[in-house]
């Protein structure tokens, strides 16, 4: 059996980075949620907020842990699988990732310990500060890494001198043409993910008639954030679409599923296609008539440009890009509808008692993660065959590592990561089933946890339970 | 100004901090296999749980500095050490998640502790293999790695990996000597009594063997005879002092002496291979990225590193003193 090392290196990178992004998305979202909840607790002294904080802190800690260890893998993978990419892009993305480490990873790591274990030692105010620093760290991290990735999508500010890349203008490298549009889209994605996570769990409690106050407060907060953010996201997504259409037309052509240079008029909007890249056509396509013209050209009869405008050797795989986009877009439409419904129900005072709505929220718990993955597949597969757009081809970037070795390490990654995922899901599931523990009564009265958490007075909370809660 | 030299110093600084900081928490992990009392194991993990993430971040810092400032070396070294690096990353991963997951279960805690321990041991061994591989030398073809990914599994490298593991165990036991009460401190003393001589022995044998497997090492000794001899002598003296400090009145002395041993070891290695970044093949200056990239990293590092160091120190300060018997409460 012979495998192409280039394909294996790509599959390995795709697998490890896809696995990683699940956890940052959750930790960026939850870190901000926790900071808001703790702020509200300090302001109102309402122990319910403290209860919510403690509950979500447990899940956050696990997601963060998995995010850290899978992220460390990625920072080496640029050189492990794609040595020539590292040599070429190092001068541009290396300094950005170095600054990411300095300004965000250390910030997160330094304050994480205090956030998770230090409340009793530093008191609520300083603890709130630590939570905010962790949330800020995740935000900085997303900014730098998106700047690095956006530079690969829309490189600017560099010149090639005898095979090596030289930065000519740092401002243009960092604030490259797509970063300013992609960063808010990614951040909103993470906050939306967090909102649906929190709402879904709250809705589950409401449906089961348990932890009612907790459920109501989290559903209310979660759907409140989600409503604002999804409206923003649709707007941001639309702008991003226009930007990428300008810089990487092939990506957006692939995302819409047409092959001919110009589609028929009026153009349908495809929902399902079976593309055949070799013969440059769809074997099967199902869509809504007229909708393509209306959405994509804002006219009844407009024609849409197809992937045929790009020479076949410069085309990305249509199938992955198309379905990545459909998943993201489909979920966005669903979320938007739910947001509208939630406004209506809230206005009628039935937000916490409408069972069909709560059931949909439960189903939607992981929806943000799926949409995020879909979006990243559009972004990353859609720029192929380039790893640095128009500068370096992916196939030319691969390390001199034999296929058999790549295959073995890929299998090792799959096994170990499957263990991580299983443990994460089992333990998070257990925490959710067990439900939030009552907040110590002292939290309300004094605003300080020191008396509440003194050994022997901690409301019977044992050490292990205390961390789990 | 000599930018590549400054960048190399910063990378070496990050690497040094990584080795001494993650060294002790990997050492604690390696020792987790031994105590049968679960409460002792809980205390051991508690002693490092608030700070391990920051310690490990120095590894990323070192790796990324290499990417930014010496991309050519990055592209040679990472494929050369492909296997030990991947195994190390998986091992660190297993160990990292065990911090969170072991708390979630009563029944399976022992299993996660074993994962934790094996993860720490394997990560330490792989780091040793890489150091050994660097000393022995790697094949380079133009700007690319020219050897086989299996080259690193050689007897000399295995010897170095044992030396690194034993060194980390010394650091880990030194840390427990500082942080542990009663039973845990007694355990740390017992470990130190065997680990210190083992480390001294393995380090000396490795140093001697290095001159046999790599003629350049012999050349480095003759070129820097006084300096390297002084380092070696100091190493011996400190190791003896460490031995005598075990169980003494000062909780922290074994740890700090252990850290000093590591600093000396790395300094010695630095003197021997300087100014190469891919030993015997590529000097710092040949591997460096253009000065715009160097300036960016160095400026960022100069401004941000002091801040990082101060809040990291604060995090250590918050969790100072003995690890409480009942654990950290949230
Ligand atoms: C939009 C956000 C985002 C994206 C696209 C990525 N990451 Fe990430 N990463 C984070 C957001 C994040 C984070 C929120 O900052 C994490 C998640 C959990 C955590 O601990 O920090 C993190 C952790 C994390 C860590 C561990 C940091 C630590 O020790 O605290 C490393 C080394 C990386 N990442 C590296 C990467 C690389 C090389 C990526 C690209 C291929 C990447 N990340 C994609
Ligand atoms: C975290 C979310 C991300 C996801 C889900 C993701 C997904 C992917 C996928 C699926 C591929 C393989 C594409 C293909 O070969 O068809 C890929 C490739 C790659 N991506 Fe990303 N990516 C993400 C973020 C990033 C970031 C932030 C960077 C860099 C700063 C990056 C750099 C790369 C590189 C170097 C490759 C390898 C070359 C290649 O296979 O095309 N990725 N990614
Ligand atoms: C109407 C709604 C939306 C539109 C029009 C839209 C549009 C886009 C486009 C065009 C891209 C590709 C950008 C590129 O190539 O770099 C993208 C990427 C992405 N989308 Fe969306 N999106 C929408 C909704 C969402 C939602 C609801 C989420 C998640 C909750 C999401 C998460 C992402 C992510 C994580 C990426 C990859 C990161 C990036 O490239 O910036 N999107 N989106």
């Amino acid at each position: 059996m012979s495998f192409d090392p280039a394909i294996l290196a790509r599959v390995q990178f795709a697998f490890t980075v896809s696995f990683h992004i699940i956890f940052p998305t959750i930790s960026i979202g939850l870190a901000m949620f926790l900071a808001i909840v703790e702020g509200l607790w300090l302001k109102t002294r309402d122990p319910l907020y403290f209860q919510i904080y403690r509950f979500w802190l447990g899940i956050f800690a696990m997601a963060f842990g998995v995010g850290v260890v899978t992220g460390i893998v990625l920072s080496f993978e640029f050189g492990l699988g794609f040595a020539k990419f590292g040599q070429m892009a190092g001068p541009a993305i290396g300094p950005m990732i170095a600054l990411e480490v300095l300004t965000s990873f250390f910030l997160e790591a330094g304050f994480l310990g205090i956030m998770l274990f230090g409340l009793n030692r530093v008191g609520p105010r300083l603890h709130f500060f630590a939570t905010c620093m962790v949330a800020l760290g995740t935000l900085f991290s997303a900014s730098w890494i998106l700047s690095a990735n956006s530079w690969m999508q829309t490189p600017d500010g560099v010149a090639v001198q005898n095979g090596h890349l030289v930065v000519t203008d740092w401002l243009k490298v960092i604030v490259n043409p797509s970063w300013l549009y992609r960063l808010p889209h990614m951040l909103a994605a993470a906050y939306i993910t967090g909102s649906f996570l929190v709402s879904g769990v709250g809705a589950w409690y409401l449906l089961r008639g348990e932890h009612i106050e907790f459920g109501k407060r989290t559903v209310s907060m979660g759907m409140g954030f989600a409503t604002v953010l999804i409206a923003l996201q649709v707007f941001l997504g639309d702008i991003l679409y226009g930007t990428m259409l300008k810089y990487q037309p092939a990506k957006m052509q692939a995302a819409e599923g047409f092959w001919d240079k110009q589609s028929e008029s009026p153009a349908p909007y495809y929902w399902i296609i079976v593309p055949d890249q070799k013969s440059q056509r769809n074997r099967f396509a199902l869509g809504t008539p007229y909708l393509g013209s209306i959405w994509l050209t804002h006219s009844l009869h407009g024609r849409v440009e197809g992937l045929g405008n790009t020479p076949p050797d410069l085309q990305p795989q249509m199938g992955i890009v198309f379905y990545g986009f459909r998943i993201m877009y489909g979920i966005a439409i669903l979320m938007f509808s739910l947001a509208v419904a939630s406004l209506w129900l809230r206005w009628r005072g039935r937000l916490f008692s409408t069972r069909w709505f709560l059931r949909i929220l439960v189903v939607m718990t992981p929806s943000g993660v799926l949409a995020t993955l879909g979006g990243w597949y559009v972004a990353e597969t859609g720029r192929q065959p380039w790893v640095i757009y128009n500068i370096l081809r992916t196939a030319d970037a691969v390390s001199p590592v034999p296929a058999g070795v790549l295959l073995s390490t890929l299998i090792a990654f799959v096994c170990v990561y499957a263990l991580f995922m299983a443990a994460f899901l089992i333990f998070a599931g257990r925490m959710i089933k067990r439900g939030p523990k009552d907040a110590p009564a002292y939290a309300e009265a004094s605003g300080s946890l020191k008396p509440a958490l003194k050994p022997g007075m901690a409301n019977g909370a044992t050490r292990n339970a205390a961390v789990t809660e | 100004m000599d930018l590549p030299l400054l960048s190399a110093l910063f990378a070496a600084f990050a690497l040094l901090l990584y080795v001494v900081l993650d060294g002790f928490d990997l050492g604690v992990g390696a020792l987790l296999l031994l105590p049968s009392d679960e409460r002792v194991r809980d205390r051991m993990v508690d002693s490092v749980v608030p700070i391990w993430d920051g310690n490990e971040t120095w590894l990323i810092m070192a790796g990324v500095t290499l990417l930014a400032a010496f991309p050519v070396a990055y592209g040679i070294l990472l494929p050369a050490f492909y296997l030990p690096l991947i195994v190390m990353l998986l091992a660190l991963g297993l160990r990292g998640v065990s911090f969170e997951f072991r708390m979630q279960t009563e029944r399976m805690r022992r299993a996660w502790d074993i994962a934790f321990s094996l993860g720490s041991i394997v990560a330490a061994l792989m780091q040793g293999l890489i150091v050994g591989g660097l000393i022995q030398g790697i094949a380079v073809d133009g700007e690319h790695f020219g050897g086989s990914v299996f080259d690193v599994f050689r007897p000399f490298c295995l010897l170095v990996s044992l030396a690194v593991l034993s060194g980390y165990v010394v650091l880990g036991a030194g840390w427990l000597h500082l942080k542990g009460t009663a039973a845990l401190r007694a355990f740390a003393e017992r470990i130190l009594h065997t680990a210190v001589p083992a480390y001294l022995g393995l380090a000396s044998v490795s140093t001697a063997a290095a001159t046999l497997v790599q003629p350049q090492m012999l050349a480095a000794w003759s070129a820097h005879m006084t300096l390297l001899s002084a380092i070696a002598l100091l190493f011996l003296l400190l190791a003896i002092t460490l031995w005598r400090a075990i169980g003494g009145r000062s909780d922290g002395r074994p740890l700090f002496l252990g850290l000093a041993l590591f600093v000396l070891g790395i300094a010695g290695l630095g003197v021997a291979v300087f100014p190469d970044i891919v030993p015997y093949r590529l000097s710092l200056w040949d591997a460096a990225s253009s000065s715009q990239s160097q300036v960016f990293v160095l400026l960022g590092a100069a401004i941000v590193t002091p801040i990082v160091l101060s809040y990291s120190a604060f995090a250590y300060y918050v969790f100072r003193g003995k690890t409480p018997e009942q654990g950290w409460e949230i």
Side-chain angles (χ1 to χ4, degrees):
Chain A
M1 226 177 4
S2 80
F3 284 105
D4 180 3
I7 302 277
L8 285 168
R10 287 167 70 175
V11 171
Q12 179 160 328
F13 194 93
F15 175 72
T16 48
V17 78
S18 304
F19 193 91
H20 175 64
I21 192 62
I22 295 172
F23 296 92
T25 312
I26 296 174
S27 28
I28 297 170
L30 283 184
M32 185 57 81
F33 178 73
L34 288 172
I36 293 172
V37 168
E38 191 172 22
L40 286 170
W41 172 56
L42 286 182
K43 193 159 185 276
T44 62
R45 304 289 185 207
D46 181 346
L48 183 56
Y49 284 121
F50 184 63
Q51 193 187 29
I52 296 174
Y53 184 88
R54 280 229 288 200
F55 176 78
W56 280 104
L57 185 65
I59 293 180
F60 169 80
M62 288 199 299
F64 203 95
V66 182
V68 168
V69 301
T70 54
I72 295 175
V73 171
L74 288 181
S75 67
F76 286 90
E77 205 138 24
F78 292 136
L80 289 169
F82 295 92
K84 284 169 214 153
F85 165 74
Q87 289 180 328
M88 183 90 176
I93 68 166
M96 289 196 266
I97 303 178
L99 265 280
E100 176 183 18
V101 178
L102 282 166
T103 57
S104 84
F105 291 162
F106 279 118
L107 196 64
E108 292 167 355
F111 286 100
L112 183 73
I114 299 176
M115 181 177 175
L116 297 182
F117 307 102
L119 187 48
N120 193 19
R121 295 210 149 206
V122 299
R125 269 170 213 288
L126 200 52
H127 186 261
F128 174 56
F129 178 74
T131 308
C132 290
M133 286 304 109
V134 172
L136 194 68
T138 63
L139 209 152
F140 286 161
S141 162
S143 307
W144 283 112
I145 198 76
L146 255 93
S147 186
N149 183 269
S150 299
W151 176 83
M152 292 161 56
Q153 303 271 357
T154 51
D156 199 4
V158 292
V160 179
Q161 285 173 9
N162 38 17
H164 290 272
L165 224 121
V166 175
V167 173
T168 52
D169 185 346
W170 269 114
L171 196 65
K172 281 193 180 153
V173 170
I174 296 170
V175 189
N176 57 69
S178 62
W179 177 61
L180 283 180
Y181 305 99
R182 297 180 75 226
L183 173 63
H185 192 66
M186 176 67 219
L187 287 178
Y191 297 144
I192 289 172
T193 303
S195 306
F196 274 93
L197 209 60
V198 168
S199 313
V201 173
W204 192 66
Y205 290 141
L206 290 180
L207 282 173
R208 290 170 53 108
E210 293 171 354
H211 314 296
I212 298 296
E213 286 312 307
F214 179 96
K216 282 184 175 171
R217 188 69 59 89
T218 48
V219 167
S220 169
M221 289 180 77
M223 283 319 289
F225 295 135
T227 304
V228 177
L229 288 165
I230 187 68
L232 181 73
Q233 185 73 323
V234 172
F235 176 69
L236 291 170
D238 204 45
I239 300 179
L240 183 57
Y241 191 98
T243 312
M244 295 322 286
L245 192 61
K246 183 167 152 214
Y247 290 98
Q248 299 182 357
K251 181 185 279 178
M252 283 8 266
Q253 289 158 3
E256 296 308 348
F258 296 102
W259 289 99
D260 296 336
K261 285 198 164 157
Q262 294 284 325
S263 72
E264 72 257 50
S265 159
Y269 193 80
Y270 287 144
W271 298 105
I272 300 176
I273 59 170
V274 181
D276 180 348
Q277 196 98 11
K278 258 212 193 91
S279 52
Q280 300 274 303
R281 65 183 184 89
N282 288 327
R283 275 199 225 130
F284 172 81
L286 182 77
T288 311
Y290 284 99
L291 198 57
S293 293
I294 297 172
W295 272 357
L296 303 174
T297 68
H298 302 290
S299 74
L300 257 185
H301 294 281
R303 292 169 190 274
V304 182
E305 293 196 343
L307 196 54
N309 290 292
T310 307
D313 65 327
L314 292 180
Q315 288 174 358
Q317 284 290 327
M318 182 186 275
I320 302 177
V321 183
F322 177 87
Y323 283 107
F325 195 69
R326 287 300 170 278
I327 288 171
M328 174 178 67
Y329 199 71
I331 291 176
I333 294 173
L334 251 166
M335 288 174 163
F336 192 82
S337 320
L338 276 177
V340 174
S342 80
L343 284 180
W344 168 258
L345 292 173
R346 204 185 281 262
W347 181 54
R348 306 307 304 256
R350 297 208 310 259
L351 187 60
F352 308 124
S353 54
T354 312
R355 296 188 73 83
W356 63 264
F357 180 76
L358 296 176
R359 274 198 207 107
I360 298 180
L361 283 189
V362 172
V363 175
M364 292 287 281
T365 310
S367 59
V369 171
L370 288 180
T372 301
L373 278 171
W376 274 107
Y377 273 83
V378 178
E380 298 290 312
T381 313
R383 80 175 136 119
Q384 300 301 324
W386 301 102
V387 59
I388 309 174
Y389 204 70
N390 281 339
I391 294 184
L392 182 68
R393 279 180 188 250
T394 312
D396 298 331
V398 182
S399 295
V401 176
V405 173
L406 283 167
L407 186 64
S408 329
T409 52
L410 174 62
I411 293 170
F413 271 118
V414 172
C415 296
V416 174
Y417 281 14
L419 174 73
F420 291 177
M421 185 54 102
F424 176 78
L425 290 177
I426 289 171
F427 292 136
R430 263 198 225 161
M431 270 184 202
I432 292 170
K433 221 178 256 155
R434 216 181 298 125
K437 264 197 52 100
D438 290 338
Y442 314 86
E444 183 179 20
S446 66
S448 160
L449 278 162
K450 284 196 178 158
L453 294 169
K454 274 274 150 49
M457 293 169 62
N459 276 9
T462 66
R463 156 185 189 273
N464 300 319
V467 186
T468 320
E469 251 38 77
Chain B
M1 227 184 331
D2 193 342
L3 293 171
L5 183 62
L6 286 179
S7 299
L9 285 175
F10 181 66
F13 170 73
L15 197 63
L16 180 70
L17 276 179
Y18 172 70
V19 170
V20 300
L21 295 178
D22 214 31
F24 76 70
D25 67 48
L26 285 170
V28 171
L31 291 173
L32 203 60
L33 222 42
L34 299 179
S36 51
D37 182 349
E38 181 170 306
R39 278 166 314 173
V40 172
R41 297 203 306 272
D42 284 348
R43 287 302 75 68
M44 288 168 72
V45 175
D46 279 342
S47 74
V48 289
V49 72
I51 36 113
W52 74 276
D53 186 8
N55 297 348
E56 212 155 285
T57 306
W58 289 104
L59 175 65
I60 311 168
M61 188 76 253
V64 170
T65 309
L66 197 65
L67 169 66
F70 306 101
V72 174
Y74 181 88
I76 296 172
L77 293 174
L78 268 67
F81 298 123
Y82 184 86
L83 282 171
L85 277 171
I86 295 261
V87 175
M88 175 193 85
L89 291 168
L90 286 169
L92 286 177
L94 210 54
R95 167 179 180 275
V97 298
S98 302
F99 274 109
E100 296 300 331
F101 290 157
R102 71 184 295 283
M103 297 187 223
Q104 308 298 337
T105 167
E106 297 276 341
R107 223 160 21 93
M108 296 280 284
R109 186 168 300 172
R110 189 71 216 239
W112 285 107
D113 282 348
I114 292 171
F116 192 124
S117 197
L118 291 181
S120 309
I121 293 170
V122 172
L125 289 175
M126 293 302 128
Q127 292 174 7
L129 271 186
I130 294 170
V131 175
L134 282 172
I135 296 173
Q136 192 158 8
I138 57 178
V140 177
D141 167 17
E143 287 197 344
H144 309 294
F145 170 56
S148 148
V149 290
F150 299 103
D151 285 353
V152 67
F153 298 95
R154 285 181 288 198
F156 171 73
C157 303
L158 295 172
L159 179 66
V160 177
S161 69
L162 289 178
V164 169
L165 177 62
S166 63
Y168 284 176
V169 168
V170 170
L171 291 181
W175 172 257
L176 296 175
H177 194 277
L178 170 68
K179 302 297 274 189
T181 46
L184 188 52
R185 164 136 179 193
F187 169 72
E189 288 170 15
R190 273 203 312 282
I191 297 295
L192 280 171
H193 277 295
T194 37
V196 173
Y199 176 43
L200 189 59
L202 284 164
S204 320
V205 177
S206 306
T207 312
T211 58
L212 299 178
V213 298
Q214 179 47 259
Q216 299 271 359
M217 270 291 159
L218 204 58
W221 270 95
S222 51
H224 307 283
M225 194 62 194
T226 11
L227 189 53
L228 287 176
S229 311
I231 289 176
L233 201 64
L234 202 57
F235 191 93
L236 191 66
L237 279 177
L238 287 183
I240 294 169
T241 323
L242 171 52
W243 171 259
R244 302 182 41 164
I246 301 169
R249 202 142 11 103
S250 162
D251 289 331
R253 192 171 292 163
L255 175 66
F256 295 116
L257 288 167
L259 296 177
L261 287 181
F262 264 86
V263 175
L264 281 176
I266 291 179
L269 204 59
V271 169
V273 299
F274 183 84
D276 291 346
I277 194 139
V278 179
Y280 333 118
R281 293 295 187 156
L282 202 64
S283 78
L284 308 171
W285 299 282
D286 295 332
S289 56
S290 63
S291 53
Q292 291 90 332
S293 301
Q294 309 265 338
V295 168
F296 191 87
V297 176
L298 287 170
L299 219 57
I303 298 168
V304 188
T305 311
I307 306 173
V308 168
L309 288 175
S310 50
Y311 63 64
S312 304
F314 175 70
Y316 271 86
Y317 176 73
V318 167
F319 298 99
R320 68 194 171 279
K322 294 284 178 189
T323 306
E325 292 282 345
Q326 73 282 1
W328 311 112
E329 279 144 347
I330 173 194

